[in-house]
Amino acid sequence: MDRLESMEVFVKAVDLGSFAAAAAALDLSGPMVGKHVRFLEERLGARLINRTTRRQSLTDFGRAYYERCRIVLAEAQAADALAADQLSEPRGKLRVTMPAHFGRHCVTPILLALARYYPALELDLSLSDRFADLVEDGLDLAIRTGTLDDRAGIIARRVARQRMIVCASPSYIERFGQPLRLDDIAGHQAIIYRRLGQALQPWLFPRDDGSVTEIAPAGRLRFDDLDAIADAATEGMGLAWLPYWLVRQRMEAGRLILLLPDQSDYLYDCHALWLQTPHLPLKVRLAVDALAAGLPRMMS
């Protein structure tokens, strides 16, 4: 008899609680289920299940063997799926949640290019700063920026790092002067990022020893949209702490100027998160690979 098939029958009998239920689920006869279990027992030289006319129960060895069989069968299924992936293309719905601003400007263009290349792939994208739950919301992938919570059953892969810089317009510098050190920021007006109902977002700067300096600058302008902060900074309303990719074109055009050039820039990590699974679906794997390849080019 085939050992993997017998393992599958054994696991199904344990999961469903009886040989009869396993036989019905696998379209086998009751005696054939018993033959598969006896084949394993004879091969192993140990009893797996204590059977009586009224009930069946796992032996101590049977319980340990059952757990190992589940792992073996999951790996075998993953291997089969991996082979199938090589002969197919991604299809079906890919459900992704991402921060609104970062998602709109950076993540969405990459996923749209992926969908353009694979016409059988569907995209269901949620652009929101709400922290959606992968399980409860039925999501395949989540994009997160900043520090991650350590959660069991979640796999995370860093796909990019956002370089955060301090900048201002030439008109602001002409009127109020140019800060040269971190301590100088306190003497300037800043344009602050703040989400509704949350504390002010501090500006972060790495130290040589690996720690981080947090600065809470003063400012009378507060926005929950980074584009609005960049617009206000371009209009000379104050200093701004923003991702370099967002203001790169304005800086190249001379509309914004990089400040504190000798200060190391803080790098905001960007991760792709998915549920731990024996086999990562092809559509998820290709999306993560595309983001890991495309996002760093946008960040540089």
Side-chain angles (χ1 to χ4, degrees):
M1 303 184 79
D2 180 78
R3 184 168 31 152
L4 273 180
E5 183 182 1
S6 295
M7 286 180 175
E8 183 178 5
V9 173
F10 167 62
V11 167
K12 185 65 71 173
V14 174
D15 288 342
L16 298 182
S18 71
F19 284 12
L26 297 173
D27 196 22
L28 298 173
S29 67
M32 181 57 70
V33 172
K35 285 183 180 181
H36 279 289
V37 174
R38 284 194 299 275
F39 164 74
L40 292 176
E41 291 178 331
E42 292 171 1
R43 189 179 189 282
L44 295 166
R47 181 174 290 276
L48 298 172
I49 297 177
N50 292 317
R51 298 179 288 277
T52 67
T53 55
R54 294 189 175 185
R55 61 188 295 270
Q56 67 178 37
S57 61
L58 284 171
T59 64
D60 289 341
F61 174 75
R63 187 172 296 105
Y65 187 71
Y66 164 77
E67 295 297 336
R68 290 290 183 178
C69 285
R70 291 183 59 193
I71 295 172
V72 169
L73 292 172
E75 290 296 331
Q77 292 172 357
D80 289 345
L82 183 63
D85 279 353
Q86 302 302 315
L87 303 174
S88 65
E89 65 176 34
R91 61 184 63 251
K93 190 175 294 184
L94 178 67
R95 302 171 180 85
V96 188
T97 180
M98 64 196 80
H101 192 272
F102 184 71
R104 182 170 62 252
H105 286 277
C106 300
V107 178
T108 297
I110 293 174
L111 295 183
L112 288 177
L114 191 69
R116 190 178 301 115
Y117 189 79
Y118 295 108
L121 180 65
E122 303 175 37
L123 295 181
D124 190 341
L125 308 183
S126 173
L127 284 75
S128 171
D129 291 328
R130 180 182 73 88
F131 272 37
D133 186 277
L134 285 167
V135 176
E136 292 182 2
D137 295 302
L139 297 164
D140 299 299
L141 196 61
I143 308 302
R144 295 279 184 265
T145 58
T147 304
L148 296 178
D149 295 330
D150 188 14
R151 296 186 59 187
I154 301 294
I155 303 299
R157 176 182 173 185
R158 190 174 71 191
V159 291
R161 307 191 86 180
Q162 296 188 77
R163 173 188 166 202
M164 302 296 295
I165 65 165
V166 179
C167 58
S169 70
S171 63
Y172 178 88
I173 293 172
E174 183 179 348
R175 290 172 60 197
F176 301 104
Q178 181 172 340
L180 301 175
R181 301 169 303 174
L182 292 184
D183 293 342
D184 296 339
I185 292 178
H188 287 265
Q189 282 291 315
I191 308 164
I192 310 299
Y193 177 77
R194 182 178 188 176
R195 290 180 182 172
L196 185 64
Q198 296 187 9
L200 294 177
Q201 173 68 51
W203 294 5
L204 307 177
F205 301 92
R207 297 191 184 109
D208 293 337
D209 63 2
S211 61
V212 175
T213 297
E214 295 189 7
I215 295 179
R220 59 193 179 92
L221 300 181
R222 300 170 185 174
F223 298 90
D224 65 357
D225 182 86
L226 296 181
D227 277 321
I229 294 177
D231 290 341
T234 304
E235 293 297 321
M237 299 301 294
L239 312 182
W241 186 65
L242 291 167
Y244 172 70
W245 61 263
L246 178 64
V247 294
R248 178 175 51 216
Q249 292 183 350
R250 300 180 194 233
M251 294 178 64
E252 291 172 349
R255 299 166 63 197
L256 288 174
I257 295 175
L258 174 68
L259 305 178
L260 308 174
D262 296 330
Q263 170 64 45
S264 297
D265 300 321
Y266 186 80
L267 299 177
Y268 254 118
D269 287 339
C270 174
H271 290 89
L273 284 70
W274 62 89
L275 292 174
Q276 187 172 18
T277 177
H279 172 68
L280 185 63
L282 178 62
K283 60 184 178 181
V284 178
R285 176 166 57 82
L286 288 179
V288 173
D289 288 345
L291 292 171
L295 287 174
R297 290 197 292 267
M298 292 184 176
M299 303 297 103
S300 62

